Amino acid sequence: GRGVGMDVVKKSVEALRGSITLHSTPGMGTMIQMRLPLTLAIIEGFMVGVGQARFILPIDMVVECIELPDGALDDHHPQYLNLRGEVLPYVCLRQAFAMEGSTAKRPSVVVVKTGEWKSGLLVDTLLGEIQTVIKPMSGVFQHLRSICGTSILGTGDIAMILDVNQIVQESIDLAGRSVASLHQGV
């Protein structure tokens, strides 16, 4: 039409520090070339809360969210759930990141899947789906293996984007060590 839609696209791309160019040849068509910074990616995520902290999980890895059953939270035993007959190891994000405070009265478990493995992430609150821009971690924070980036929320707060693959692997490893120690104690 009149190019009004392309003007909106151009302004949005430039706001992301990118560029867009058009090459048109009559009778042949139009080629649109869009360039975005390599350090910039937008993902569909699912945001959760632990205390005042916010974490984002890639939405395509989230299987379901369930309320933690009564009596399931026990610091002295391995963290497993019976999820419809399936053993589900879970990780308490508060403990994983050594955060102060106590677990919420009604915590939830976000069931995530990577490859063939499922695991759970114990969180205080479920905040819902969010489309977010990933900001890469600076050199100071690159040692944090379970975090792959950050995002600045509309409120100005920072949310950590979790590396679900790493967290699931850690929960599986922890579950294996717990089972091994139980068998050694018998």
Side-chain angles (χ1 to χ4, degrees):
R2 298 181 305 269
V4 175
M6 286 306 297
D7 185 52
V8 172
V9 171
K10 181 181 180 209
K11 287 180 181 175
S12 296
V13 168
E14 287 174 349
L16 297 171
R17 296 183 315 278
S19 66
I20 189 166
T21 56
L22 296 170
H23 301 284
S24 185
T25 305
M28 296 293 292
T30 302
M31 181 177 74
I32 302 171
Q33 190 173 43
M34 193 177 325
R35 296 177 191 241
L36 293 172
L38 287 176
T39 59
L40 189 65
I42 298 174
I43 65 164
E44 294 289 329
F46 187 78
M47 190 162 49
V48 297
V50 177
Q52 297 299 313
R54 300 293 174 252
F55 297 96
I56 299 174
L57 312 165
I59 194 74
D60 60 339
M61 294 183 162
V62 175
V63 177
E64 64 182 306
C65 300
I66 58 173
E67 188 174 311
L68 186 69
D70 290 333
L73 191 59
D74 186 350
D75 294 336
H76 304 294
H77 292 84
Q79 294 176 324
Y80 302 101
L81 288 178
N82 179 346
L83 182 65
R84 295 180 290 282
E86 180 181 345
V87 175
L88 180 76
Y90 68 93
V91 175
C92 176
L93 288 185
R94 183 177 299 281
Q95 291 174 353
F97 292 107
M99 299 172 69
E100 297 284 323
S102 59
T103 304
K105 291 182 182 183
R106 296 183 61 180
S108 297
V109 175
V110 179
V111 179
V112 293
K113 184 173 183 178
T114 175
E116 61 187 63
W117 301 103
K118 279 186 186 178
S119 185
L121 304 174
L122 183 67
V123 300
D124 292 344
T125 54
L126 304 172
L127 301 169
E129 292 184 34
I130 183 172
Q131 189 176 59
T132 186
V133 176
I134 300 174
K135 304 279 186 190
M137 299 293 285
S138 69
V140 175
F141 299 106
Q142 286 181 346
H143 68 282
L144 299 174
R145 294 186 347 208
S146 300
I147 298 175
C148 60
T150 60
S151 181
I152 300 173
L153 303 175
T155 60
D157 294 331
I158 295 176
M160 299 293 174
I161 300 171
L162 297 180
D163 183 344
V164 174
N165 292 323
Q166 182 69 34
I167 292 173
V168 168
Q169 186 59 51
E170 288 176 8
S171 73
I172 291 167
D173 292 347
L174 178 64
R177 286 192 302 270
S178 298
V179 168
S181 68
L182 288 174
H183 287 296
Q184 289 175 353
V186 174

